Amino acid sequence: MVAEIGFGSLFISLIVSVYGVIAAIYGVNQHQKKWVSSAQQAMRLVFPLLTVTVGSLLYLLINNNFEVVYVSKVSSLSMPLYLKITALWGGQAGSLLFWSWLLAGFTSAVTLKKWERDQDFLPWVIVVGLGTLAFFLVLNTFFENPFVRYWQVNQDIVQSFTQPAGGFIIGPQNGAGLNPLLRHPGMVIHPPMQYLGFVAFIVPYAYAMASLITGRSDDRWIQLSRRWTLWAWLFLSLGLILGARWAYDVLGWGGYWGWDPVEISALMPWLSGTAFLHAVLIQEKRGMFKQWPIVLIILTYLLVIFGTFLTRSGLLSSVHSFAASAIGPIFLAFIALTFIASFWLLSSRWDKFKSRQELTSFFSKEALILVSIILLMGMLVTSFWGVIFPNISELVTGAKVTVGPPFYERVAAPILGGMLLIMVICPLAVWSYVSFKHLGKLLWKPFAVSLLGIVLPLVGGLTKVPAVIAFWLIAFVLAVNGFEFVRRTRLRRKTESESMVNAITRVFQRNKRSYAAMIIHIGIVFMGLGIIGIEFFQTETQATLAEGQELELAPYTMEYEALEIFDAPDARNVARAVVLVKKDGEVIDEIYPRRDFYYDSSQPVTIPGVRSTLLDDFYVILVDWKAVTSEGATFKVYHNPLVQWLWIGAWVIIGGVVIATWPDKKTSKVVSNSARPK
Amino acid sequence: MVKDDLQQIEAEPRKGNALKFIIGGIVIVAAIIYLMVSSLQANIQYFLTVDEAMEKQLAGELTGRNIRLSGAVLGESIHYDMETLELSFSIVHVPGDIELVDEEGGLAAALHNAVMDPTRSQLKVVYYGAKPDLLQNEAQAILTGEFIAEGVFEADELLLKCPTKYEGSVPDQIES
């Protein structure tokens, strides 16, 4: 019964979506407002409808209704409640449904705003939002139905949603359970964040399309979608970082990012989305390059769909991919259609979005931002090429080839360096025109301070040139931001003769966006610090130890104390080592690397024991042990300097985005004033 | 907008210097393309099946070359020495063509058939390090490394995938 309700509601939301698209187009054509409002109602309706569907599937998961194929594949009796809920997006059909549900949530939320000023946008936003949703609902209804059940027909087991002739429902006693690797708190939030990030980009895309179709070439679409874009960007960033964290905590290879094609396919929309955010800034402040944001948001949207396609088509094999499926060709058709429609529209409006201003100085803010956009796009093209090249090469030469992480790293390192250099200059540059001489006057003090970033590592015995350069750049960025903040505050105090505290808060309030940007960039630099630490300075060793024996990996020593093997209540066997961490002969910590063996899927999961400080992580993996004789256990040990900063940087970025999007009446007025092209 | 002393020095924009920006842009783009192309050439790897690899090795094409291999793990051959951390196992040929795999009824079936078929060619793999969680019979192994002797491949990277693990096939209880 619940399955019928769920599917029924799913099917109705598909019909409502299709109706909404048609009604919106008809309403515009016939100039009849009532059809557009009817379409708006449809858009509001899909979210509650799909909530019923998602609720039904959750009900089935929580109540162990294993006669539903999806439930039997991703859930099992022994899983705790939170994992049963997580199982909603643990498999193909469910994750597609979850995706559609989030999409419906966003599109419904968009319709809630007041549209008076933007009546002409409304129908087209509906067409894009509901059109995309309809596509995903078609997948869920006809190809990946999460409510399909097992039926016994004579001697055969049939999978079908509707009852086959003479069939009756049959269900296994227990399900296969969620893949143990996915049973981690990080897995509870990583996919939803990733999906939220993906899905939220549809809002700026929809506004961009509406702007193209109506031919309104002002900044209105950008203003309307600014907060959406920032949140989308934040969610996508969080999705990536949480994924990295999960890999670091669970996959037990001492790393966090493997240039896996699926990771790359999530990185690509982030790269173009980041470029989009910056292009928007140039348009808002200078009214220049108006075509760029549109090109970039189309690209981002296409990459979002492309990334979803890659993980679901069976084209790639990776920890992320779902089982091979027939939905690949349909996805490709949808991507092709979107691509052609978007760029055809853009080309037909190209002249309307031309701007007259020109670049005037290499060191103006717009020129610097432009360079950073080019660098981001360079990384994007590299990533895309790395993913797609093996397929092209096979078509052309017949030989299967692959490209590994070194390919991406060799390109990424100089690009990251270039980005850091721009982050040095950018806070000091102004819009329109800056002379190099003036810039030099502002730069020399932070530059002097940043030399510490060279001297300190060299004194510390560092010999790797790229690492020294990287440390110097990071010190430079931080110094520039620090000096700039002090300088602006002083200036304010001088002109307004306020108290120090007052001046700081005022400066902050008046330039909320610019300070939020500063904070976000400092977060990025912190992350850079973590990446440099682990990429350049990771060391590792391994050994088999008897109880009481030690293994050294400078500056730490580990002592293997004991091994405990026991059964945990959720049907897994745990082998847990007790390891003492010593530094300079003194015990400073105790960690527990362990290996969980899941009975229902007979798969082990290795979870490292980590001692984490701001300076470094001591990361110990329990590789193997001799169970009976307790002769010893084998450990693999990593020393990962500075990696904590990767996660700290993420928190800083969250703070920055929260500040940037914080609703503030006074500020939003300032923003819309200065947003007009000069 | 920030109104500070910087804007006071805003000079008259000079006209007609679009060329220098175009050149600047081209230089950056060219540098990125150069980076990409040179990195690609340095990091291309063959991705071969067991059959292809053995054939190429006999022809001497693979000496000293880093390649990528894919095959099915033969469960009974897995051996792990905890003292030296030497892991060895055999992989069995699985067709690389997606169509051939589909003909066999999907990847899981193709891996199963490969392991059950004693006539298929096999390669010995050695690897030093931790034993991966997913290393088991009928797993798909994707290995990076090079040949160290005829029919012996030393992997420095192991990637394993169990097609049945990520989304289970029909559970056993009701298949029988």
Side-chain angles (χ1 to χ4, degrees), chain A residues 322-356:
Chain A
F322 296 96
S325 163
I327 59 180
I330 313 162
F331 248 110
L332 276 184
F334 182 71
I335 294 173
L337 189 76
T338 316
F339 181 85
I340 293 167
S342 307
F343 281 102
W344 175 78
L345 253 176
L346 178 62
S347 67
S348 67
R349 294 275 192 267
W350 188 256
D351 288 337
K352 236 187 147 86
F353 284 80
K354 256 190 184 150
S355 49
R356 253 170 278 130

mmCIF file of all heavy atoms in Angstrom, chain A residues 322-356:
data_model
loop_
_atom_site.group_PDB
_atom_site.id
_atom_site.type_symbol
_atom_site.label_atom_id
_atom_site.label_comp_id
_atom_site.label_asym_id
_atom_site.label_seq_id
_atom_site.Cartn_x
_atom_site.Cartn_y
_atom_site.Cartn_z
ATOM 1 N N PHE A 322 27.344 3.779 -9.286
ATOM 2 C CA PHE A 322 26.258 2.847 -9.038
ATOM 3 C C PHE A 322 26.315 1.764 -10.106
ATOM 4 O O PHE A 322 27.125 1.825 -11.018
ATOM 5 C CB PHE A 322 24.935 3.590 -9.108
ATOM 6 C CG PHE A 322 24.779 4.623 -8.041
ATOM 7 C CD1 PHE A 322 25.081 5.942 -8.277
ATOM 8 C CD2 PHE A 322 24.346 4.259 -6.776
ATOM 9 C CE1 PHE A 322 24.945 6.896 -7.290
ATOM 10 C CE2 PHE A 322 24.212 5.196 -5.783
ATOM 11 C CZ PHE A 322 24.510 6.520 -6.041
ATOM 12 N N ALA A 323 25.461 0.769 -9.975
ATOM 13 C CA ALA A 323 25.467 -0.331 -10.925
ATOM 14 C C ALA A 323 25.160 0.185 -12.327
ATOM 15 O O ALA A 323 24.504 1.204 -12.500
ATOM 16 C CB ALA A 323 24.437 -1.360 -10.516
ATOM 17 N N ALA A 324 25.674 -0.556 -13.325
ATOM 18 C CA ALA A 324 25.423 -0.192 -14.711
ATOM 19 C C ALA A 324 23.923 -0.097 -14.943
ATOM 20 O O ALA A 324 23.144 -0.808 -14.336
ATOM 21 C CB ALA A 324 26.029 -1.229 -15.634
ATOM 22 N N SER A 325 23.551 0.793 -15.799
ATOM 23 C CA SER A 325 22.127 1.031 -15.955
ATOM 24 C C SER A 325 21.818 1.468 -17.371
ATOM 25 O O SER A 325 22.691 1.922 -18.117
ATOM 26 C CB SER A 325 21.685 2.095 -14.970
ATOM 27 O OG SER A 325 20.445 2.607 -15.332
ATOM 28 N N ALA A 326 20.561 1.371 -17.736
ATOM 29 C CA ALA A 326 20.151 1.697 -19.097
ATOM 30 C C ALA A 326 19.908 3.189 -19.289
ATOM 31 O O ALA A 326 19.565 3.626 -20.368
ATOM 32 C CB ALA A 326 18.871 0.928 -19.440
ATOM 33 N N ILE A 327 20.079 3.976 -18.217
ATOM 34 C CA ILE A 327 19.678 5.371 -18.346
ATOM 35 C C ILE A 327 20.740 6.248 -19.008
ATOM 36 O O ILE A 327 20.500 7.411 -19.272
ATOM 37 C CB ILE A 327 19.288 5.985 -16.982
ATOM 38 C CG1 ILE A 327 20.441 5.912 -16.001
ATOM 39 C CG2 ILE A 327 18.060 5.291 -16.435
ATOM 40 C CD1 ILE A 327 20.098 6.493 -14.646
ATOM 41 N N GLY A 328 21.917 5.660 -19.311
ATOM 42 C CA GLY A 328 22.998 6.426 -19.931
ATOM 43 C C GLY A 328 22.589 7.203 -21.178
ATOM 44 O O GLY A 328 22.741 8.422 -21.229
ATOM 45 N N PRO A 329 22.067 6.513 -22.197
ATOM 46 C CA PRO A 329 21.724 7.205 -23.445
ATOM 47 C C PRO A 329 20.709 8.341 -23.251
ATOM 48 O O PRO A 329 20.831 9.386 -23.878
ATOM 49 C CB PRO A 329 21.119 6.091 -24.311
ATOM 50 C CG PRO A 329 21.649 4.838 -23.747
ATOM 51 C CD PRO A 329 21.869 5.072 -22.287
ATOM 52 N N ILE A 330 19.751 8.122 -22.338
ATOM 53 C CA ILE A 330 18.742 9.161 -22.117
ATOM 54 C C ILE A 330 19.396 10.403 -21.526
ATOM 55 O O ILE A 330 19.085 11.529 -21.904
ATOM 56 C CB ILE A 330 17.656 8.652 -21.148
ATOM 57 C CG1 ILE A 330 17.215 7.257 -21.572
ATOM 58 C CG2 ILE A 330 16.486 9.591 -21.100
ATOM 59 C CD1 ILE A 330 16.498 6.518 -20.501
ATOM 60 N N PHE A 331 20.313 10.151 -20.614
ATOM 61 C CA PHE A 331 21.051 11.249 -20.007
ATOM 62 C C PHE A 331 21.803 12.030 -21.077
ATOM 63 O O PHE A 331 21.753 13.256 -21.130
ATOM 64 C CB PHE A 331 22.068 10.696 -19.000
ATOM 65 C CG PHE A 331 21.744 11.029 -17.578
ATOM 66 C CD1 PHE A 331 21.321 10.042 -16.703
ATOM 67 C CD2 PHE A 331 21.861 12.327 -17.124
ATOM 68 C CE1 PHE A 331 21.030 10.349 -15.399
ATOM 69 C CE2 PHE A 331 21.568 12.628 -15.801
ATOM 70 C CZ PHE A 331 21.148 11.636 -14.942
ATOM 71 N N LEU A 332 22.517 11.292 -21.946
ATOM 72 C CA LEU A 332 23.304 11.947 -22.981
ATOM 73 C C LEU A 332 22.416 12.786 -23.874
ATOM 74 O O LEU A 332 22.756 13.909 -24.245
ATOM 75 C CB LEU A 332 24.058 10.904 -23.811
ATOM 76 C CG LEU A 332 25.382 10.448 -23.223
ATOM 77 C CD1 LEU A 332 26.081 9.484 -24.171
ATOM 78 C CD2 LEU A 332 26.296 11.646 -22.938
ATOM 79 N N ALA A 333 21.236 12.245 -24.193
ATOM 80 C CA ALA A 333 20.301 12.990 -25.041
ATOM 81 C C ALA A 333 19.879 14.276 -24.343
ATOM 82 O O ALA A 333 19.830 15.350 -24.958
ATOM 83 C CB ALA A 333 19.090 12.124 -25.354
ATOM 84 N N PHE A 334 19.604 14.187 -23.044
ATOM 85 C CA PHE A 334 19.183 15.373 -22.289
ATOM 86 C C PHE A 334 20.302 16.414 -22.247
ATOM 87 O O PHE A 334 20.066 17.614 -22.441
ATOM 88 C CB PHE A 334 18.784 14.963 -20.869
ATOM 89 C CG PHE A 334 18.298 16.097 -20.028
ATOM 90 C CD1 PHE A 334 17.065 16.687 -20.281
ATOM 91 C CD2 PHE A 334 19.060 16.586 -18.975
ATOM 92 C CE1 PHE A 334 16.604 17.733 -19.508
ATOM 93 C CE2 PHE A 334 18.604 17.637 -18.185
ATOM 94 C CZ PHE A 334 17.373 18.211 -18.461
ATOM 95 N N ILE A 335 21.537 15.941 -22.023
ATOM 96 C CA ILE A 335 22.673 16.870 -21.987
ATOM 97 C C ILE A 335 22.831 17.560 -23.342
ATOM 98 O O ILE A 335 22.993 18.781 -23.428
ATOM 99 C CB ILE A 335 23.971 16.131 -21.606
ATOM 100 C CG1 ILE A 335 23.877 15.627 -20.161
ATOM 101 C CG2 ILE A 335 25.186 17.033 -21.754
ATOM 102 C CD1 ILE A 335 25.021 14.737 -19.744
ATOM 103 N N ALA A 336 22.748 16.757 -24.414
ATOM 104 C CA ALA A 336 22.909 17.316 -25.760
ATOM 105 C C ALA A 336 21.830 18.360 -26.036
ATOM 106 O O ALA A 336 22.106 19.451 -26.532
ATOM 107 C CB ALA A 336 22.857 16.195 -26.798
ATOM 108 N N LEU A 337 20.616 18.031 -25.674
ATOM 109 C CA LEU A 337 19.498 18.942 -25.902
ATOM 110 C C LEU A 337 19.700 20.252 -25.147
ATOM 111 O O LEU A 337 19.542 21.356 -25.701
ATOM 112 C CB LEU A 337 18.202 18.269 -25.436
ATOM 113 C CG LEU A 337 16.911 18.987 -25.804
ATOM 114 C CD1 LEU A 337 16.600 18.766 -27.272
ATOM 115 C CD2 LEU A 337 15.759 18.489 -24.937
ATOM 116 N N THR A 338 20.066 20.143 -23.863
ATOM 117 C CA THR A 338 20.297 21.336 -23.050
ATOM 118 C C THR A 338 21.416 22.173 -23.630
ATOM 119 O O THR A 338 21.335 23.397 -23.714
ATOM 120 C CB THR A 338 20.675 20.938 -21.614
ATOM 121 O OG1 THR A 338 19.814 19.896 -21.192
ATOM 122 C CG2 THR A 338 20.561 22.097 -20.674
ATOM 123 N N PHE A 339 22.475 21.484 -24.044
ATOM 124 C CA PHE A 339 23.639 22.163 -24.606
ATOM 125 C C PHE A 339 23.239 22.978 -25.836
ATOM 126 O O PHE A 339 23.505 24.175 -25.933
ATOM 127 C CB PHE A 339 24.688 21.107 -24.981
ATOM 128 C CG PHE A 339 25.959 21.663 -25.548
ATOM 129 C CD1 PHE A 339 26.970 22.077 -24.702
ATOM 130 C CD2 PHE A 339 26.132 21.789 -26.909
ATOM 131 C CE1 PHE A 339 28.148 22.603 -25.212
ATOM 132 C CE2 PHE A 339 27.299 22.313 -27.434
ATOM 133 C CZ PHE A 339 28.312 22.718 -26.584
ATOM 134 N N ILE A 340 22.561 22.301 -26.756
ATOM 135 C CA ILE A 340 22.193 22.970 -28.007
ATOM 136 C C ILE A 340 21.237 24.128 -27.731
ATOM 137 O O ILE A 340 21.439 25.254 -28.199
ATOM 138 C CB ILE A 340 21.567 21.955 -28.987
ATOM 139 C CG1 ILE A 340 22.634 20.941 -29.413
ATOM 140 C CG2 ILE A 340 20.993 22.661 -30.200
ATOM 141 C CD1 ILE A 340 22.080 19.733 -30.121
ATOM 142 N N ALA A 341 20.209 23.873 -26.928
ATOM 143 C CA ALA A 341 19.213 24.908 -26.662
ATOM 144 C C ALA A 341 19.857 26.121 -25.991
ATOM 145 O O ALA A 341 19.637 27.271 -26.405
ATOM 146 C CB ALA A 341 18.101 24.349 -25.785
ATOM 147 N N SER A 342 20.694 25.879 -24.966
ATOM 148 C CA SER A 342 21.293 26.991 -24.220
ATOM 149 C C SER A 342 22.186 27.837 -25.109
ATOM 150 O O SER A 342 22.102 29.063 -25.115
ATOM 151 C CB SER A 342 22.118 26.470 -23.048
ATOM 152 O OG SER A 342 21.362 25.612 -22.249
ATOM 153 N N PHE A 343 23.069 27.175 -25.865
ATOM 154 C CA PHE A 343 24.026 27.951 -26.640
ATOM 155 C C PHE A 343 23.395 28.556 -27.887
ATOM 156 O O PHE A 343 23.836 29.610 -28.359
ATOM 157 C CB PHE A 343 25.268 27.114 -26.963
ATOM 158 C CG PHE A 343 26.193 27.038 -25.791
ATOM 159 C CD1 PHE A 343 26.237 25.908 -24.985
ATOM 160 C CD2 PHE A 343 26.996 28.118 -25.449
ATOM 161 C CE1 PHE A 343 27.075 25.857 -23.879
ATOM 162 C CE2 PHE A 343 27.828 28.075 -24.346
ATOM 163 C CZ PHE A 343 27.869 26.941 -23.556
ATOM 164 N N TRP A 344 22.337 27.922 -28.395
ATOM 165 C CA TRP A 344 21.614 28.548 -29.505
ATOM 166 C C TRP A 344 20.975 29.853 -29.022
ATOM 167 O O TRP A 344 21.084 30.892 -29.675
ATOM 168 C CB TRP A 344 20.546 27.585 -30.034
ATOM 169 C CG TRP A 344 19.704 28.241 -31.079
ATOM 170 C CD1 TRP A 344 20.029 28.456 -32.392
ATOM 171 C CD2 TRP A 344 18.406 28.800 -30.881
ATOM 172 N NE1 TRP A 344 19.015 29.120 -33.018
ATOM 173 C CE2 TRP A 344 17.994 29.343 -32.123
ATOM 174 C CE3 TRP A 344 17.540 28.892 -29.785
ATOM 175 C CZ2 TRP A 344 16.755 29.972 -32.293
ATOM 176 C CZ3 TRP A 344 16.315 29.518 -29.953
ATOM 177 C CH2 TRP A 344 15.934 30.044 -31.190
ATOM 178 N N LEU A 345 20.361 29.787 -27.858
ATOM 179 C CA LEU A 345 19.761 30.980 -27.260
ATOM 180 C C LEU A 345 20.808 32.061 -27.045
ATOM 181 O O LEU A 345 20.596 33.233 -27.371
ATOM 182 C CB LEU A 345 19.181 30.616 -25.895
ATOM 183 C CG LEU A 345 17.676 30.534 -25.764
ATOM 184 C CD1 LEU A 345 17.324 30.075 -24.376
ATOM 185 C CD2 LEU A 345 17.053 31.876 -26.067
ATOM 186 N N LEU A 346 21.930 31.645 -26.498
ATOM 187 C CA LEU A 346 22.990 32.600 -26.185
ATOM 188 C C LEU A 346 23.484 33.276 -27.459
ATOM 189 O O LEU A 346 23.644 34.498 -27.512
ATOM 190 C CB LEU A 346 24.135 31.890 -25.472
ATOM 191 C CG LEU A 346 25.343 32.745 -25.128
ATOM 192 C CD1 LEU A 346 24.955 33.847 -24.165
ATOM 193 C CD2 LEU A 346 26.449 31.900 -24.526
ATOM 194 N N SER A 347 23.685 32.480 -28.521
ATOM 195 C CA SER A 347 24.222 33.064 -29.746
ATOM 196 C C SER A 347 23.212 34.029 -30.364
ATOM 197 O O SER A 347 23.588 35.052 -30.931
ATOM 198 C CB SER A 347 24.603 31.963 -30.739
ATOM 199 O OG SER A 347 23.441 31.299 -31.177
ATOM 200 N N SER A 348 21.930 33.727 -30.205
ATOM 201 C CA SER A 348 20.935 34.618 -30.794
ATOM 202 C C SER A 348 20.825 35.926 -30.012
ATOM 203 O O SER A 348 20.302 36.912 -30.498
ATOM 204 C CB SER A 348 19.577 33.921 -30.862
ATOM 205 O OG SER A 348 19.093 33.706 -29.555
ATOM 206 N N ARG A 349 21.312 35.941 -28.783
ATOM 207 C CA ARG A 349 21.241 37.163 -27.972
ATOM 208 C C ARG A 349 22.621 37.780 -27.746
ATOM 209 O O ARG A 349 22.777 38.677 -26.934
ATOM 210 C CB ARG A 349 20.638 36.841 -26.592
ATOM 211 C CG ARG A 349 19.210 36.407 -26.622
ATOM 212 C CD ARG A 349 18.288 37.623 -26.634
ATOM 213 N NE ARG A 349 16.918 37.219 -26.387
ATOM 214 C CZ ARG A 349 16.048 36.941 -27.333
ATOM 215 N NH1 ARG A 349 16.395 37.037 -28.604
ATOM 216 N NH2 ARG A 349 14.810 36.592 -27.019
ATOM 217 N N TRP A 350 23.618 37.226 -28.414
ATOM 218 C CA TRP A 350 25.001 37.573 -28.131
ATOM 219 C C TRP A 350 25.236 39.090 -28.131
ATOM 220 O O TRP A 350 25.851 39.637 -27.223
ATOM 221 C CB TRP A 350 25.907 36.875 -29.141
ATOM 222 C CG TRP A 350 27.360 36.998 -28.831
ATOM 223 C CD1 TRP A 350 28.257 37.811 -29.447
ATOM 224 C CD2 TRP A 350 28.087 36.283 -27.826
ATOM 225 N NE1 TRP A 350 29.491 37.648 -28.883
ATOM 226 C CE2 TRP A 350 29.425 36.708 -27.884
ATOM 227 C CE3 TRP A 350 27.741 35.314 -26.878
ATOM 228 C CZ2 TRP A 350 30.415 36.225 -27.042
ATOM 229 C CZ3 TRP A 350 28.734 34.827 -26.039
ATOM 230 C CH2 TRP A 350 30.043 35.280 -26.119
ATOM 231 N N ASP A 351 24.716 39.753 -29.180
ATOM 232 C CA ASP A 351 24.982 41.186 -29.320
ATOM 233 C C ASP A 351 24.334 42.005 -28.220
ATOM 234 O O ASP A 351 24.864 43.020 -27.793
ATOM 235 C CB ASP A 351 24.491 41.676 -30.683
ATOM 236 C CG ASP A 351 25.406 41.166 -31.778
ATOM 237 O OD1 ASP A 351 26.569 40.865 -31.447
ATOM 238 O OD2 ASP A 351 24.959 41.042 -32.931
ATOM 239 N N LYS A 352 23.185 41.544 -27.789
ATOM 240 C CA LYS A 352 22.476 42.270 -26.744
ATOM 241 C C LYS A 352 23.270 42.325 -25.450
ATOM 242 O O LYS A 352 23.151 43.263 -24.669
ATOM 243 C CB LYS A 352 21.139 41.563 -26.478
ATOM 244 C CG LYS A 352 19.962 42.506 -26.632
ATOM 245 C CD LYS A 352 18.680 41.857 -26.217
ATOM 246 C CE LYS A 352 17.779 42.888 -25.617
ATOM 247 N NZ LYS A 352 16.955 43.646 -26.458
ATOM 248 N N PHE A 353 24.073 41.302 -25.230
ATOM 249 C CA PHE A 353 24.828 41.233 -23.989
ATOM 250 C C PHE A 353 26.263 41.738 -24.151
ATOM 251 O O PHE A 353 27.112 41.486 -23.324
ATOM 252 C CB PHE A 353 24.827 39.794 -23.451
ATOM 253 C CG PHE A 353 23.522 39.424 -22.808
ATOM 254 C CD1 PHE A 353 22.427 39.043 -23.576
ATOM 255 C CD2 PHE A 353 23.373 39.493 -21.439
ATOM 256 C CE1 PHE A 353 21.225 38.716 -22.983
ATOM 257 C CE2 PHE A 353 22.171 39.175 -20.847
ATOM 258 C CZ PHE A 353 21.080 38.786 -21.630
ATOM 259 N N LYS A 354 26.514 42.429 -25.242
ATOM 260 C CA LYS A 354 27.849 43.004 -25.421
ATOM 261 C C LYS A 354 28.003 44.207 -24.503
ATOM 262 O O LYS A 354 27.040 44.914 -24.216
ATOM 263 C CB LYS A 354 28.026 43.442 -26.875
ATOM 264 C CG LYS A 354 28.891 42.472 -27.652
ATOM 265 C CD LYS A 354 29.248 43.032 -29.006
ATOM 266 C CE LYS A 354 30.038 41.996 -29.786
ATOM 267 N NZ LYS A 354 29.830 42.115 -31.216
ATOM 268 N N SER A 355 29.201 44.458 -24.056
ATOM 269 C CA SER A 355 29.406 45.640 -23.226
ATOM 270 C C SER A 355 30.473 46.504 -23.871
ATOM 271 O O SER A 355 31.329 46.014 -24.592
ATOM 272 C CB SER A 355 29.814 45.234 -21.821
ATOM 273 O OG SER A 355 30.853 44.288 -21.888
ATOM 274 N N ARG A 356 30.433 47.811 -23.596
ATOM 275 C CA ARG A 356 31.328 48.722 -24.300
ATOM 276 C C ARG A 356 32.655 48.948 -23.571
ATOM 277 O O ARG A 356 33.635 49.278 -24.182
ATOM 278 C CB ARG A 356 30.614 50.049 -24.571
ATOM 279 C CG ARG A 356 30.262 50.197 -26.051
ATOM 280 C CD ARG A 356 29.357 51.378 -26.295
ATOM 281 N NE ARG A 356 27.965 51.033 -26.011
ATOM 282 C CZ ARG A 356 27.171 51.752 -25.249
ATOM 283 N NH1 ARG A 356 27.610 52.846 -24.670
ATOM 284 N NH2 ARG A 356 25.921 51.391 -25.058
#
